[in-house]
mmCIF file of all heavy atoms in Angstrom:
data_model
loop_
_atom_site.group_PDB
_atom_site.id
_atom_site.type_symbol
_atom_site.label_atom_id
_atom_site.label_comp_id
_atom_site.label_asym_id
_atom_site.label_seq_id
_atom_site.Cartn_x
_atom_site.Cartn_y
_atom_site.Cartn_z
ATOM 1 N N PHE F 913 36.328 -13.851 -10.633
ATOM 2 C CA PHE F 913 36.635 -12.696 -11.477
ATOM 3 C C PHE F 913 36.358 -11.434 -10.676
ATOM 4 O O PHE F 913 35.293 -11.303 -10.062
ATOM 5 C CB PHE F 913 35.749 -12.740 -12.727
ATOM 6 C CG PHE F 913 35.901 -11.561 -13.642
ATOM 7 C CD1 PHE F 913 37.049 -11.400 -14.406
ATOM 8 C CD2 PHE F 913 34.890 -10.611 -13.748
ATOM 9 C CE1 PHE F 913 37.184 -10.304 -15.252
ATOM 10 C CE2 PHE F 913 35.017 -9.514 -14.586
ATOM 11 C CZ PHE F 913 36.176 -9.366 -15.354
ATOM 12 N N ILE F 914 37.260 -10.484 -10.648
ATOM 13 C CA ILE F 914 37.081 -9.287 -9.828
ATOM 14 C C ILE F 914 36.771 -8.042 -10.657
ATOM 15 O O ILE F 914 36.947 -6.920 -10.195
ATOM 16 C CB ILE F 914 38.303 -9.041 -8.911
ATOM 17 C CG1 ILE F 914 39.613 -8.969 -9.711
ATOM 18 C CG2 ILE F 914 38.376 -10.116 -7.840
ATOM 19 C CD1 ILE F 914 40.803 -8.582 -8.837
ATOM 20 N N GLY F 915 36.296 -8.237 -11.894
ATOM 21 C CA GLY F 915 35.758 -7.113 -12.646
ATOM 22 C C GLY F 915 34.345 -6.817 -12.173
ATOM 23 O O GLY F 915 33.618 -7.703 -11.746
ATOM 24 N N VAL F 916 33.949 -5.535 -12.249
ATOM 25 C CA VAL F 916 32.637 -5.142 -11.739
ATOM 26 C C VAL F 916 31.562 -5.429 -12.788
ATOM 27 O O VAL F 916 31.382 -4.677 -13.747
ATOM 28 C CB VAL F 916 32.608 -3.649 -11.363
ATOM 29 C CG1 VAL F 916 31.245 -3.277 -10.759
ATOM 30 C CG2 VAL F 916 33.703 -3.329 -10.377
ATOM 31 N N ARG F 917 30.876 -6.522 -12.596
ATOM 32 C CA ARG F 917 29.749 -6.922 -13.452
ATOM 33 C C ARG F 917 29.002 -8.044 -12.749
ATOM 34 O O ARG F 917 29.543 -8.676 -11.836
ATOM 35 C CB ARG F 917 30.244 -7.402 -14.821
ATOM 36 C CG ARG F 917 31.166 -8.622 -14.765
ATOM 37 C CD ARG F 917 31.271 -9.312 -16.112
ATOM 38 N NE ARG F 917 32.225 -10.398 -16.132
ATOM 39 C CZ ARG F 917 32.055 -11.593 -15.570
ATOM 40 N NH1 ARG F 917 30.951 -11.858 -14.894
ATOM 41 N NH2 ARG F 917 32.978 -12.531 -15.669
ATOM 42 N N PRO F 918 27.771 -8.316 -13.153
ATOM 43 C CA PRO F 918 27.071 -9.452 -12.548
ATOM 44 C C PRO F 918 27.808 -10.757 -12.857
ATOM 45 O O PRO F 918 28.354 -10.921 -13.956
ATOM 46 C CB PRO F 918 25.696 -9.433 -13.221
ATOM 47 C CG PRO F 918 25.540 -8.045 -13.736
ATOM 48 C CD PRO F 918 26.915 -7.590 -14.100
ATOM 49 N N SER F 919 27.829 -11.630 -11.914
ATOM 50 C CA SER F 919 28.449 -12.929 -12.125
ATOM 51 C C SER F 919 27.662 -13.720 -13.171
ATOM 52 O O SER F 919 26.462 -13.515 -13.359
ATOM 53 C CB SER F 919 28.466 -13.699 -10.802
ATOM 54 O OG SER F 919 29.084 -14.955 -10.932
ATOM 55 N N ASP F 920 28.348 -14.600 -13.871
ATOM 56 C CA ASP F 920 27.669 -15.514 -14.791
ATOM 57 C C ASP F 920 27.242 -16.791 -14.084
ATOM 58 O O ASP F 920 26.247 -17.416 -14.453
ATOM 59 C CB ASP F 920 28.594 -15.880 -15.962
ATOM 60 C CG ASP F 920 28.841 -14.704 -16.894
ATOM 61 O OD1 ASP F 920 27.903 -13.908 -17.120
ATOM 62 O OD2 ASP F 920 29.975 -14.572 -17.382
ATOM 63 N N THR F 921 27.985 -17.185 -13.064
ATOM 64 C CA THR F 921 27.730 -18.445 -12.370
ATOM 65 C C THR F 921 27.361 -18.178 -10.911
ATOM 66 O O THR F 921 27.769 -17.165 -10.316
ATOM 67 C CB THR F 921 28.966 -19.364 -12.424
ATOM 68 O OG1 THR F 921 30.089 -18.700 -11.803
ATOM 69 C CG2 THR F 921 29.329 -19.680 -13.876
ATOM 70 N N TYR F 922 26.596 -19.111 -10.340
ATOM 71 C CA TYR F 922 26.090 -18.933 -8.980
ATOM 72 C C TYR F 922 26.009 -20.273 -8.268
ATOM 73 O O TYR F 922 25.947 -21.336 -8.903
ATOM 74 C CB TYR F 922 24.695 -18.287 -8.996
ATOM 75 C CG TYR F 922 24.714 -16.887 -9.558
ATOM 76 C CD1 TYR F 922 24.607 -16.679 -10.936
ATOM 77 C CD2 TYR F 922 24.882 -15.781 -8.734
ATOM 78 C CE1 TYR F 922 24.659 -15.394 -11.474
ATOM 79 C CE2 TYR F 922 24.933 -14.504 -9.251
ATOM 80 C CZ TYR F 922 24.825 -14.310 -10.620
ATOM 81 O OH TYR F 922 24.886 -13.039 -11.142
ATOM 82 N N ARG F 923 25.987 -20.208 -6.956
ATOM 83 C CA ARG F 923 25.744 -21.396 -6.138
ATOM 84 C C ARG F 923 24.535 -21.146 -5.245
ATOM 85 O O ARG F 923 24.428 -20.096 -4.589
ATOM 86 C CB ARG F 923 26.957 -21.749 -5.288
ATOM 87 C CG ARG F 923 26.679 -22.832 -4.241
ATOM 88 C CD ARG F 923 27.915 -23.555 -3.793
ATOM 89 N NE ARG F 923 28.386 -24.477 -4.834
ATOM 90 C CZ ARG F 923 29.331 -25.408 -4.631
ATOM 91 N NH1 ARG F 923 29.898 -25.535 -3.441
ATOM 92 N NH2 ARG F 923 29.704 -26.200 -5.607
ATOM 93 N N PHE F 924 23.635 -22.127 -5.239
ATOM 94 C CA PHE F 924 22.456 -22.108 -4.370
ATOM 95 C C PHE F 924 22.604 -23.221 -3.354
ATOM 96 O O PHE F 924 23.074 -24.318 -3.682
ATOM 97 C CB PHE F 924 21.184 -22.324 -5.201
ATOM 98 C CG PHE F 924 19.946 -22.548 -4.379
ATOM 99 C CD1 PHE F 924 19.345 -21.492 -3.703
ATOM 100 C CD2 PHE F 924 19.377 -23.811 -4.278
ATOM 101 C CE1 PHE F 924 18.196 -21.697 -2.942
ATOM 102 C CE2 PHE F 924 18.225 -24.021 -3.523
ATOM 103 C CZ PHE F 924 17.638 -22.962 -2.857
#
Side-chain angles (χ1 to χ4, degrees):
F913 176 72
I914 55 174
V916 183
R917 61 162 175 74
S919 181
D920 291 323
T921 59
Y922 296 86
R923 170 157 286 191
F924 170 74

